[in-house]
Amino acid sequence: DFVKTVVGGAAGTALIASSKRSARAKAKPKYPKGPVRIAVVSFLTGAAAAPFGIPGNNTFKMLAEITNKKGGILGREIEILAYDEAGGVDSQVKLCRKLILDEKVDVILGYISSADCKAVLPLSDELGGLIIAYDCGTHVLMEGNKTPFKVPKYQLGFRSKAHLGIDNIGLALFIKKYMPNIKTIAGINQDYAWGRDSWRVFEAAMKKLMPHVKVVGTWWPPLFTTDYTAHISALLGAKPDIVHTSFWGGDTVTFTKQAMAMGLFEKTTVAYSRGEPYPQEIGKDFPENQIICCAGTHYFLYPPHDKWPLNKWFVSEYYKRYDKYPTYPCYHAYQAFFTYKTAVEKAAALVGRWPTLEEISKAAVGLSIETPSGHLMIREDHNGIEDVLVGFTKRVSGHKFPILDPERMEVFPAHQVNAPVGVRTLDWIKGWKV
């Protein structure tokens, strides 16, 4: 009798609890009625606008429009509030404070400048606002630069992409595989943190992978140089087998056109750490057999459209609106947008209501989402990690500019090009057993 009573009572209690859970599951959660206010911050004026900021901003607007037609985020319409990143670090800090404290936006998706990222992302926890950095590439953001090494910990700050390590390690791995007999390298990079950090990582990887290779020169022109002829003459005189550059924007276009006129590409191979946009930008005259890195696997022809329909859709939608193929900032914008949307939906499914910022943050850690470029994962250090695509340029019938040669392109998986959590990129490279 005792056993029957206990078992029966337990079963009844379990049945009541189960019924309550079922009722809660069937009850439709009540979400706020107002729009989801997403602040988008990217360069809309200045040198970084055309190659990065405007394509990224266009993508955010496109994705919001398409998502709203499908019901928004959990039935709430998305409102995009676009802001210009121009003006420097102080301006961006003030704008961030205004967006979080006064405008009370739901999330900030933004920042191309590494300096802006480093200044703004810590404000996420200080001010209590969710920030997802979508394009800035400095490895210092999540690795820190203090000794002894300590990983910066953010509760509400994220970066939904990998950092510059993948670009420059990817180039070194590609060169070792496809050009194993080279003997000399040189570098021409802009004279500020981005250029110097990019070269530092590339040089360290080359020394580890190909220790016989000699550096025959490095040049550091200032940002927005208009005449590179003296630098190109020096490169021609040094006769390197490979020239590394992390140039971006108008500097890349100016340097490339002047180098073409002076015959540099006939004497050496230039390895562009973020060169993906520039064959399209310069057109059919962009030289063949140059090495292009795609800042991830962000390319309008990769992953192949027949194997990855999401990329086919993304390229088609973007081209239909803007008459250009999406470049890597567009893919980065997609990653940030859907990191936020997916994290909100995941957290809401767990808590049964619109989640708090802390709940969204917890849901984002470990997130793996499908993007037009493949899979993106957000690690426990709040940083995205990605594979990287590198290839040689080639003129192919049917394309108005050189594309990556399908027979000479390589994807290096994330574990080969991203340092583990808690290890600095340069320390990780030094520890390679090659």
Side-chain angles (χ1 to χ4, degrees):
D1 290 340
F2 172 75
V3 171
K4 287 180 180 178
T5 302
V6 171
V7 172
T13 302
L15 182 61
I16 292 169
S18 176
S19 298
K20 288 181 178 179
R21 286 197 299 269
S22 298
R24 284 200 302 268
K26 291 178 181 177
K28 189 175 181 180
K30 292 182 179 180
Y31 300 127
K33 292 183 178 180
V36 180
R37 303 177 75 234
I38 298 179
V40 171
V41 184
S42 56
F43 285 103
L44 303 179
T45 58
F52 309 127
I54 292 173
N57 191 64
N58 285 343
T59 304
F60 285 124
K61 291 188 296 183
M62 179 184 87
L63 295 176
E65 176 191 327
I66 291 169
T67 303
N68 281 337
K69 288 180 180 178
K70 296 180 179 180
I73 300 178
L74 299 176
R76 296 179 66 188
E77 185 176 85
I78 299 164
E79 181 184 354
I80 294 290
L81 308 170
Y83 297 89
D84 194 349
E85 193 179 340
V89 169
D90 290 344
S91 295
Q92 292 312 310
V93 168
K94 291 177 183 177
L95 175 61
C96 181
R97 289 183 177 278
K98 177 184 176 184
L99 293 174
I100 293 173
L101 298 178
D102 299 336
E103 298 294 333
K104 300 188 185 304
V105 298
D106 291 279
V107 64
I108 299 174
L109 309 179
Y111 309 108
I112 294 168
S113 161
S114 293
D116 291 342
C117 267
K118 288 191 289 184
V120 168
L121 205 63
L123 296 177
S124 57
D125 293 345
E126 178 186 328
L127 305 178
L130 188 62
I131 301 174
I132 301 177
Y134 91 100
D135 190 66
C136 65
T138 176
H139 57 312
V140 173
L141 187 66
M142 298 304 186
E143 293 183 5
N145 56 6
K146 295 180 180 178
T147 301
F149 176 56
K150 186 178 181 181
V151 179
K153 291 185 178 180
Y154 300 103
Q155 183 180 4
L156 299 176
F158 289 83
R159 175 167 54 187
S160 54
K161 60 172 288 295
H163 58 64
L164 60 79
I166 69 170
D167 311 330
N168 299 287
I169 294 169
L171 284 180
L173 290 167
F174 185 85
I175 291 166
K176 180 181 180 181
K177 179 171 182 176
Y178 286 90
M179 303 180 73
N181 297 321
I182 66 160
K183 296 180 180 179
T184 57
I185 60 173
I188 180 166
N189 293 277
Q190 294 149 320
D191 190 13
Y192 75 121
W194 170 260
R196 290 190 176 270
D197 287 345
S198 295
W199 170 257
R200 195 173 289 119
V201 172
F202 175 73
E203 183 184 26
M206 287 295 294
K207 284 182 176 179
K208 202 70 177 175
L209 295 169
M210 304 178 75
H212 65 280
V213 172
K214 181 182 178 183
V215 177
V216 294
T218 54
W219 287 268
W220 307 100
L223 277 166
F224 316 135
T225 294
T226 56
D227 185 357
Y228 293 98
T229 54
H231 300 91
I232 297 167
S233 294
L235 284 167
L236 287 167
K239 299 180 181 179
D241 296 315
I242 297 285
V243 175
H244 168 276
T245 185
S246 59
F247 279 175
W248 56 265
D251 287 6
T252 312
V253 175
T254 301
F255 168 77
T256 301
K257 288 183 175 180
Q258 292 176 3
M260 287 163 54
M262 296 177 67
L264 180 66
F265 298 104
E266 297 165 14
K267 303 291 184 181
T268 188
T269 300
V270 177
Y272 294 82
S273 72
R274 289 217 166 171
E276 178 268 330
Y278 302 105
Q280 182 176 193
E281 191 73 20
I282 292 173
K284 61 181 179 60
D285 293 331
F286 192 93
E288 288 190 291
N289 297 313
Q290 306 308 305
I291 301 173
I292 296 291
C293 183
C294 297
T297 50
H298 309 310
Y299 195 52
F300 78 105
L301 294 174
Y302 187 90
H305 294 181
D306 59 332
K307 295 180 180 178
W308 200 255
L310 184 55
N311 195 32
K312 179 180 180 181
W313 170 84
F314 184 61
V315 171
S316 174
E317 285 292 327
Y318 191 89
Y319 193 89
K320 181 171 63 179
R321 283 171 170 78
Y322 306 112
D323 198 32
K324 291 187 77 171
Y325 296 111
T327 52
Y328 75 77
C330 305
Y331 289 90
H332 286 167
Y334 185 103
Q335 291 176 176
F337 185 92
F338 279 97
T339 292
Y340 175 69
K341 180 177 183 293
T342 307
V344 169
E345 292 168 345
K346 177 183 174 183
L350 291 171
V351 301
R353 52 173 167 72
W354 190 267
T356 65
L357 296 183
E358 290 76 12
E359 290 164 344
I360 295 170
S361 174
K362 289 179 181 178
V365 173
L367 202 63
S368 178
I369 61 172
E370 288 187 356
T371 79
S373 309
H375 284 95
L376 169 76
M377 193 186 90
I378 306 297
R379 300 192 307 191
E380 58 266 40
D381 62 353
H382 289 206
N383 200 68
I385 61 167
E386 307 175 70
D387 303 337
V388 69
L389 173 66
V390 187
F392 285 106
T393 54
K394 181 181 180 180
R395 293 189 183 93
V396 175
S397 177
H399 294 279
K400 296 179 181 178
F401 53 88
I403 64 170
L404 295 188
D405 184 350
E407 303 298 323
R408 295 185 301 159
M409 55 189 260
E410 198 78 21
V411 174
F412 298 101
H415 72 271
Q416 274 193 289
V417 292
N418 294 266
V421 174
V423 182
R424 282 187 178 140
T425 297
L426 289 171
D427 293 337
W428 178 56
I429 293 171
K430 290 174 184 176
W432 289 353
K433 297 188 186 305
V434 181

